[in-house]
Amino acid sequence: MCKRILVFSDTHLSVEPCVKVIESIPDIDMIIHAGDHSTDAQRLQKLFPDIPVKYVDGNCDFSISPTDLIFEISGKTFFVTHGHRYNVKYESDYQTLRKKGIEAGADVIIFGHTHVPFNDKSQGYILLNPGSIKFGSTYGIIEIENDKIGSAIINC
């Protein structure tokens, strides 16, 4: 059975494009929001109560949500963070973030903050920044099937 996960970040109070994406893609098993604004993730949770939503706070959030999450889906470990605490705007190779994800045993490391989409599968794990659906019209998608995992950046 295929698991389909949508990944958003840096929505900055712009939920409508997310809603259009969610309504256009069948069989979504989860939504992940990598921060800025976690209230948008909470709103998506209310609009789509049958789809689990996991989210973290970013540098523009002032709530009690976690800044890092580690969880498992279909036997794959996910590490989700906004990235501002891991130098993602200052390290082109994202070494600090990669190190933290590896320490967490992550198969998938998801971050945001830069508003620049990034999808790297070269080091035995996925490092994914979906970009910003508000400022760049991009989001990410992850599919897990038969113990294989794939990821892509989609332009709206």
Side-chain angles (χ1 to χ4, degrees):
M1 173 187 269
C2 180
K3 292 284 187 187
R4 183 169 293 136
I5 302 157
L6 292 181
V7 184
F8 300 109
S9 186
D10 298 281
T11 50
H12 293 277
L13 303 176
S14 185
V15 174
E16 293 75 19
C18 299
V19 170
K20 287 180 183 176
V21 168
I22 294 164
E23 290 175 341
S24 72
I25 297 177
D27 303 321
I28 298 167
D29 295 293
M30 179 176 282
I31 297 166
I32 297 173
H33 191 292
D36 280 359
H37 284 254
S38 61
T39 54
D40 294 344
Q42 293 165 2
R43 188 162 164 218
L44 291 174
Q45 203 165 39
K46 288 179 184 169
L47 291 170
F48 300 95
D50 295 333
I51 304 172
V53 179
K54 299 225 181 241
Y55 56 91
V56 295
D57 276 350
N59 61 298
C60 292
D61 293 309
F62 304 101
S63 73
I64 57 169
S65 301
T67 55
D68 295 345
L69 275 181
I70 300 170
F71 55 92
E72 191 174 293
I73 304 169
S74 295
K76 302 296 181 186
T77 301
F78 284 66
F79 173 70
V80 180
T81 188
H82 185 59
H84 62 291
R85 296 172 52 222
Y86 299 104
N87 302 320
V88 298
K89 282 192 175 180
Y90 309 107
E91 297 176 354
S92 61
D93 60 357
Y94 307 117
Q95 271 316 110
T96 303
L97 175 62
R98 288 178 189 271
K99 181 179 177 191
K100 183 67 175 176
I102 291 167
E103 287 172 2
D107 299 295
V108 181
I109 303 167
I110 295 172
F111 71 106
H113 192 53
T114 67
H115 299 185
V116 178
F118 184 81
N119 186 24
D120 178 38
K121 306 168 200 170
S122 67
Q123 297 189 29
Y125 54 84
I126 292 171
L127 181 62
L128 177 70
N129 181 334
S132 171
I133 202 159
K134 180 174 183 175
F135 298 115
S137 299
T138 59
Y139 65 94
I141 190 163
I142 296 170
E143 292 186 348
I144 305 169
E145 187 169 20
N146 298 327
D147 201 41
K148 303 258 189 244
I149 188 164
S151 60
I153 302 289
I154 309 294
N155 290 302
C156 297

